[in-house]
Amino acid sequence: MTMIGPRRSRDDRRGPVRPKLGLFNVRAMLRLLLILAALIPVARGGTGDTRPNIVLILADDLGWSDLGCYGGEIPTPNLDRLAAGGMRFTQFYNNSVCGPSRASLLTGLYAQRVGHSGRHWNEPTDYSRSLTLGEALQRANYHTMMVGKWQDPDLPVHRGFDRFFGPMTSAIISYYDEVRDNPFFLDGERYTLPEDFYLTDALTEHALRFLRDAAARPETASQPFFLYVAHIAPHWPLHAREADIAPHRARYQRGWDDLRQARLARQRALGLIPSTWPLSPRLEQLPHWEDDDHRDWQTERMAAYAAQVASIDRSTGLILEALEKSGQLNNTLVLFVSDNGAAHDGGMVPVDGMFGFAPDAEANRTWARNGRIIKPGSGPDNLPGPADTFFAYGPAWALASNTPFRDLKLTGYEGGIRTPLIAWWPATIRTPGRITSEVGHVFDFMPTFLEIAGGTYPTELDGNRRPLPLDGRSLLPILKGGTRPDPAFLAWQAPRHRALRAGNWKIVSKGNDDPWELFDLLHDGTETTNLADQHRDVVQDLAARWQAWHDDTRVSAESSLPPAL
């Protein structure tokens, strides 16, 4: 908008002439004022509390390249919107398997310090030496809500969450039915699933309900909120409605080899990875697409998986829409992350049984609480998707999901432990669309949220709990556009590997008696060239660090603190 400057008469006897604004300029100024007003945090309920809300969305078994903004072809417009208006991390890490990753995410600690070996998917977390994000933010006067996967024996409402909906997950699950060992709860009460139940949609509906309830109650409307959305999608089984599968079929008729190359090209074009990185080696047992004898069935498996990914995006869009309508979106930090890389499960050929289901097996009839009978196995005559099926998409599609990285879930290679991370926070992220290579880990969320909330991390809680010092460090400097020093190292004990990263060096080994591999992640982030023989001194140094970390976390776990609660 051009402003008209003050003018003087020739004899300079008149004062300054007021600028004359036309109707167009008045409207433009009003629009500008509305935009600026939207960026200013609004105090809640007259309390003057302008601290941001926090929404943390966690996917389960999502590959690094499955989202559009990370090079994928699956339509994810809502998550892509977050990336375009926020920022993406390219070197962010988890623990390669769900239980340990969620333990670190919730506590800010290495999972090994709080009861997890790192090798198993579902071990209870020791809260005598830790607290959850919910507990930490409750202490900071946040209203805390959770929907989704919970893997500890006690309910989330007893671990810092004011509201909860989801399954107490201790075994394989269905997207359509309540099944054995996975009871559903709403807050502290058992919940009966309706007939038209679909898991991802139900989690979303309850998240929206919790947001509405919080806004309607004076005691919570005045508080900032923390919403933790712990999806189970796109974890197997491949459960999706036909209407959601159909749009994806044509995309995958060219197979996994073409898909890997197409995603790699998009990642390079987006600036997510250097153009010099080669594609990671394919797994030895995988056939080339043109040599597979069941391509129609394979296509169907990937189409069902894509439908599950798209359902997460649809969920995210509904949450964003609700926040936008309530005027809270611009003062909300939204984070999206995955608990590990894509999963290998499902094999490469049709079978008549897997995952505990087999012809004439009792589990076929007794697994679903409503009596639904499961058709075991999968193949051209038993396609995935419906409620009476149970299967997964297999290692070839999973490796494509993890493009460009090496290997899959459960491993210590980058395909197992590296996760996409999208951050959206208009009030703080001032360079929309930014891509950062800063190194981080899911245990960084605890100190980040505490700094944002103005909270403190306790050294003692409830008289008999003594939380250990945090392993994570705040991401706030990165979100503000700056940097922070890299961690001295990050270490892993995953189900199939031990690993450690320090700077750009990374070592990986299958076990205590197996040799270490060494990779330079700056120049070879896809781990194609083992440099151990050329840099034995580096291997020796990093191996000693890994052993010291292992001993330290074991001592922490075995220390004589009060018993787990």
Side-chain angles (χ1 to χ4, degrees):
M1 181 173 64
T2 302
M3 297 297 294
I4 304 173
R7 296 180 297 179
R8 298 278 181 178
S9 64
R10 291 189 180 183
D11 60 4
D12 205 26
R13 288 179 295 182
R14 290 187 298 169
V17 179
R18 297 182 182 277
K20 297 179 180 179
L21 297 179
L23 181 60
F24 173 80
N25 282 341
V26 170
R27 288 175 174 169
M29 181 173 287
L30 287 172
R31 283 197 298 270
L32 177 61
L33 290 172
L34 289 171
I35 291 170
L36 292 173
L39 295 176
I40 299 173
V42 178
R44 300 173 180 86
T47 65
D49 192 341
T50 60
R51 292 177 298 167
N53 307 306
I54 302 170
V55 176
L56 174 59
I57 304 172
L58 179 65
D60 197 330
D61 286 10
L62 182 81
W64 200 78
S65 67
D66 281 329
L67 306 181
C69 54
Y70 277 84
E73 71 298 320
I74 301 171
T76 54
N78 298 296
L79 290 163
D80 296 349
R81 171 195 173 189
L82 291 181
M87 62 187 298
R88 282 162 287 176
F89 288 68
T90 60
Q91 298 197 90
F92 207 76
Y93 289 96
N94 52 43
N95 289 334
S96 191
V97 64
C98 55
S101 288
R102 291 160 195 261
S104 287
L105 177 148
L106 283 167
T107 67
L109 296 163
Y110 278 111
Q112 287 77 7
R113 298 197 196 278
V114 290
H116 293 258
S117 67
R119 297 185 181 95
H120 304 295
W121 77 276
N122 200 22
E123 295 170 310
T125 300
D126 183 355
Y127 290 114
S128 71
R129 51 180 60 92
S130 63
L131 68 160
T132 69
L133 290 171
E135 290 176 300
L137 290 172
Q138 267 188 346
R139 287 166 45 85
N141 197 34
Y142 269 62
H143 180 58
T144 58
M145 303 165 283
M146 178 189 169
V147 297
K149 184 175 182 176
W150 182 259
Q151 292 179 253
D152 278 313
D154 44 358
L155 283 164
V157 291
H158 300 144
R159 288 294 171 204
F161 290 94
D162 299 308
R163 305 297 307 274
F164 169 69
F165 171 76
M168 302 289 285
T169 312
S170 59
I172 58 174
I173 199 164
S174 168
Y175 284 67
Y176 296 101
D177 304 315
E178 183 177 310
V179 297
R180 192 170 58 225
D181 300 323
N182 292 284
F184 277 78
F185 281 81
L186 175 58
D187 298 326
E189 303 295 329
R190 288 282 277 110
Y191 178 83
T192 301
L193 274 55
E195 289 188 6
D196 60 347
F197 181 85
Y198 183 75
L199 181 56
T200 306
D201 293 348
L203 298 181
T204 308
E205 290 163 6
H206 281 84
L208 298 175
R209 171 182 165 183
F210 291 170
L211 290 171
R212 290 193 301 269
D213 289 350
R217 296 170 182 165
E219 64 273 21
T220 52
S222 62
Q223 294 176 279
F225 66 76
F226 169 50
L227 173 62
Y228 173 36
V229 182
H231 283 294
I232 292 173
H235 194 294
W236 46 265
L238 296 171
H239 278 174
R241 299 185 179 103
E242 168 58 25
D244 294 329
I245 296 173
H248 301 285
R249 287 192 176 100
R251 292 192 180 94
Y252 301 110
Q253 292 173 355
R254 297 176 63 180
W256 44 71
D257 297 317
D258 181 83
L259 185 64
R260 290 185 84 203
Q261 292 294 337
R263 289 189 177 190
L264 179 70
R266 283 193 293 271
Q267 288 168 342
R268 289 171 172 170
L270 289 168
L272 292 165
I273 62 171
S275 60
T276 54
W277 284 6
L279 190 60
S280 64
R282 60 188 294 121
L283 302 176
E284 292 180 2
Q285 73 272 27
L286 300 185
H288 290 282
W289 176 254
E290 62 270 19
D291 298 328
D292 192 272
D293 294 330
H294 306 283
R295 290 191 290 271
D296 288 346
W297 172 67
Q298 302 284 19
T299 297
E300 194 73 10
R301 292 207 287 174
M302 185 62 195
Y305 175 84
Q308 291 177 300
V309 174
S311 74
I312 296 176
D313 184 78
R314 182 170 63 243
S315 168
T316 303
L318 291 170
I319 292 170
L320 296 179
E321 181 182 22
L323 294 175
E324 199 161 26
K325 287 182 177 178
S326 67
Q328 298 182 93
L329 183 58
N330 283 322
N331 194 33
T332 300
L333 167 62
V334 182
L335 295 169
F336 179 92
V337 70
S338 181
D339 66 348
N340 46 249
H344 67 284
D345 308 85
M348 287 302 302
V349 296
V351 294
D352 61 5
M354 194 178 282
F355 300 106
F357 302 104
D360 301 321
E362 183 181 358
N364 303 349
R365 301 181 298 277
T366 62
W367 180 60
R369 293 298 190 192
N370 60 5
R372 191 189 303 275
I373 298 175
I374 302 302
K375 300 175 184 176
S378 187
D381 297 326
N382 184 17
L383 297 176
D388 61 354
T389 64
F390 195 106
F391 216 65
Y393 72 157
W397 290 122
L399 193 63
S401 284
N402 277 350
T403 303
F405 295 117
R406 181 173 178 174
D407 225 309
L408 304 169
K409 173 184 175 179
L410 308 182
T411 76
Y413 293 116
E414 296 294 288
I417 60 177
R418 196 180 291 210
T419 173
L421 172 63
I422 303 171
W424 154 285
W425 191 10
T428 298
I429 299 173
R430 298 299 192 183
T431 308
R434 179 183 169 213
I435 297 174
T436 179
S437 59
E438 293 285 313
V439 177
H441 191 281
V442 292
F443 57 39
D444 291 331
F445 293 149
M446 175 70 85
T448 304
F449 295 173
L450 284 174
E451 184 173 3
I452 289 169
T456 58
Y457 184 76
T459 57
E460 185 174 339
L461 195 63
D462 300 333
N464 62 348
R465 297 170 64 189
R466 297 177 180 84
L468 296 170
L470 291 172
D471 289 308
R473 300 174 305 138
S474 176
L475 298 167
L476 191 56
I478 304 171
L479 299 178
K480 288 182 174 180
T483 61
R484 66 174 192 180
D486 282 343
F489 65 85
L490 292 174
W492 293 266
Q493 176 63 75
R496 295 184 179 177
H497 292 100
R498 50 186 182 150
L500 183 140
R501 173 176 180 163
N504 292 316
W505 289 117
K506 180 185 171 189
I507 53 171
V508 183
S509 170
K510 289 183 178 180
N512 293 338
D513 298 326
D514 294 292
W516 290 101
E517 296 177 282
L518 176 70
F519 301 100
D520 174 3
L521 295 183
L522 178 63
H523 299 101
D524 181 27
T526 51
E527 298 170 302
T528 62
T529 305
N530 179 10
L531 302 174
D533 288 341
Q534 294 96 306
H535 299 280
R536 295 186 181 183
D537 57 332
V538 175
V539 173
Q540 186 176 7
D541 173 58
L542 298 188
R545 293 200 208 184
W546 186 91
Q547 189 61 51
W549 167 81
H550 174 72
D551 294 343
D552 177 57
T553 54
R554 184 176 61 189
V555 167
S556 295
E558 295 172 355
S559 61
S560 57
L561 290 172
L565 301 178

